[in-house]
Amino acid sequence: MRQGGILVIARTDPECVTLAELQRRAMANGVQACLIDGPEIPKIEPHAQGLQALHAPEGASFDAQRYVQTLAADAVSQRARFLYSARVLGIDDPSLNGRTRSPVVLRTSVGNIAGEVVINCAGLHADRLAGVLAMDLRIVPFRGIYAELTPQTRHLVLSHVYPAPDLSLPFLGVHLSRRVDGRIIVGPGAMLAFGREAYRLTQVQWRDVANTLTWPGFYRLLSRPQFLRLIGKETLKSISLRRICAEARKLVPELESSDLVWSFAGNRAQLVSRAGEFVDDVLVRETPRVIHVLNAVSPGLTSSLTFGEELATRGAAKLRGQTAPTERSGEAGAPTY
């Protein structure tokens, strides 16, 4: 793990207001964070500039792949089994029909599997497996692509430098982050993906495209000028290093387009309501036998141990025959969908 802190930078007065809200949230969640003025920023990140910043000194990078492998090894040591190359085709939940004593059946490509309690954490496919419990929601995939700094310019960022986000949208904007291997990733852009697992720019999965185009919530999104501007801006950042650099230069002015090269891409499972609203908080829906994690937003990896413990507690309660609310969202008082 590499602990160097996170610096969220505001460049305008409205963005300073955003930082104050982020600090309030940090304090409410027990996270150490303090506001600093512009002249203090170079003391933490020598090449960064801004009007004000929020500094979270506990922020860190870690090896996500090794972390997951370690968790898997721990699970196997406790007699868990992983079925690789097995596709889940559907979940038959008898409790939806009032049969709470019958087992839940997972239909998979390697046969049916019965279970007392099932937790659906299928990410990009979670809404499909939730079936009738997610009729008012649809996952619209976004392809996020990163650039990275050339080795000669990695000294320009010591740890993590983020812009103040637009809290009305579930996108962080272009940020610069030092990984445990020393590489500095820059991005991402976030264009609409042509498939839930279409990781290449030219890849098209027609079923998923049709799934998006037939969703009323998608057209309600398109009717909003703010969303159209966002899509145009993010698409340009997904195909142009110059555009990514222009955003990153607002935080680290010394950067040039020649300092960036393309890196990796991943798809984001963005949940959209029928009303055309981005669902920007954790969303879990339940039946007496199944827990459906429909939205696990950033920082999902960072909070995965705590969130996993919460899901395990709910699952154990179901095994004991205790019931739970059918829907919960991430923050007390947050809207549900």
Side-chain angles (χ1 to χ4, degrees):
M1 185 177 76
R2 180 193 292 269
Q3 183 171 342
I6 295 175
L7 203 62
V8 185
I9 295 178
R11 296 173 293 106
T12 65
D13 289 334
E15 288 183 349
C16 291
V17 175
T18 298
L19 293 190
E21 169 60 18
L22 294 180
Q23 186 190 36
R24 183 196 69 79
R25 296 182 185 183
M27 294 176 62
N29 286 281
V31 177
Q32 182 182 352
C34 61
L35 290 170
I36 62 174
D37 292 328
E40 300 296 312
I41 291 175
K43 296 180 181 179
I44 298 172
E45 285 285 350
H47 301 277
Q49 294 182 13
L51 186 61
Q52 194 180 54
L54 181 67
H55 183 221
E58 297 172 311
S61 296
F62 62 95
D63 188 331
Q65 183 175 7
R66 186 174 178 184
Y67 167 71
V68 172
Q69 290 170 343
T70 300
L71 290 179
D74 287 346
V76 169
S77 72
Q78 298 297 316
R79 299 195 303 173
R81 284 196 306 143
F82 289 87
L83 299 181
Y84 297 103
S85 301
R87 181 182 178 189
V88 179
L89 305 175
I91 300 175
D92 295 333
D93 181 1
S95 64
L96 289 173
N97 298 317
R99 293 183 287 117
T100 58
R101 296 186 180 275
S102 299
V104 181
V105 176
L106 289 181
R107 290 180 283 108
T108 82
S109 58
V110 295
N112 292 347
I113 301 172
E116 294 298 314
V117 173
V118 170
I119 301 177
N120 164 21
C121 299
L124 286 155
H125 302 279
D127 59 331
R128 286 175 173 162
L129 293 183
V132 296
L133 288 186
M135 295 295 288
D136 59 328
L137 302 164
R138 185 70 54 87
I139 286 174
V140 176
F142 281 79
R143 180 177 183 269
I145 186 166
Y146 283 89
E148 64 178 88
L149 295 187
T150 59
Q152 296 80 9
T153 54
R154 290 175 183 169
H155 67 281
L156 294 177
V157 177
L158 298 182
S159 187
H160 301 269
V161 181
Y162 283 65
D166 181 345
L167 296 181
S168 68
L169 296 169
F171 298 99
L172 293 175
V174 170
H175 51 277
L176 303 97
S177 295
R178 181 175 287 272
R179 294 161 51 105
V180 289
D181 59 8
R183 295 160 58 197
I184 307 294
I185 58 172
V186 185
M191 66 179 291
L192 283 166
F194 301 124
R196 299 194 183 200
E197 297 189 46
Y199 297 105
R200 299 190 307 275
L201 181 61
T202 58
Q203 188 177 1
V204 179
Q205 295 172 331
W206 292 109
R207 178 196 176 194
D208 292 339
V209 171
N211 196 250
T212 296
L213 294 180
T214 56
W215 177 238
F218 179 68
Y219 291 98
R220 294 186 176 110
L221 267 181
L222 290 179
S223 68
R224 302 181 181 186
Q226 182 187 29
F227 177 72
L228 290 176
R229 288 193 298 270
L230 172 72
I231 290 300
K233 181 179 178 181
E234 293 295 328
T235 299
L236 288 174
K237 286 191 295 186
S238 297
I239 60 177
S240 170
L241 285 174
R242 183 175 61 84
R243 293 279 185 166
I244 290 182
C245 185
E247 292 288 320
R249 193 183 292 124
K250 296 175 182 178
L251 304 173
V252 182
E254 295 175 49
L255 284 174
E256 300 290 343
S257 297
S258 58
D259 297 331
L260 275 68
V261 294
W262 288 115
S263 190
F264 62 91
N267 283 0
R268 172 191 182 131
Q270 179 58 57
L271 200 62
V272 177
S273 72
R274 185 175 291 273
E277 299 284 349
F278 286 125
V279 181
D280 60 358
D281 205 346
V282 172
L283 182 61
V284 178
R285 290 180 176 174
E286 304 181 29
T287 72
R289 306 299 293 277
V290 182
I291 299 171
H292 296 279
V293 181
L294 297 176
N295 211 38
V297 295
S298 179
L301 182 62
T302 304
S303 63
S304 57
L305 289 178
T306 300
F307 188 38
E309 184 177 3
E310 166 67 15
L311 294 175
T313 299
R314 297 191 194 189
K318 293 183 185 299
L319 285 174
R320 294 192 300 268
Q322 300 173 8
T323 59
T326 58
E327 178 173 321
R328 297 184 189 179
S329 58
E331 183 178 351
T336 56
Y337 298 81

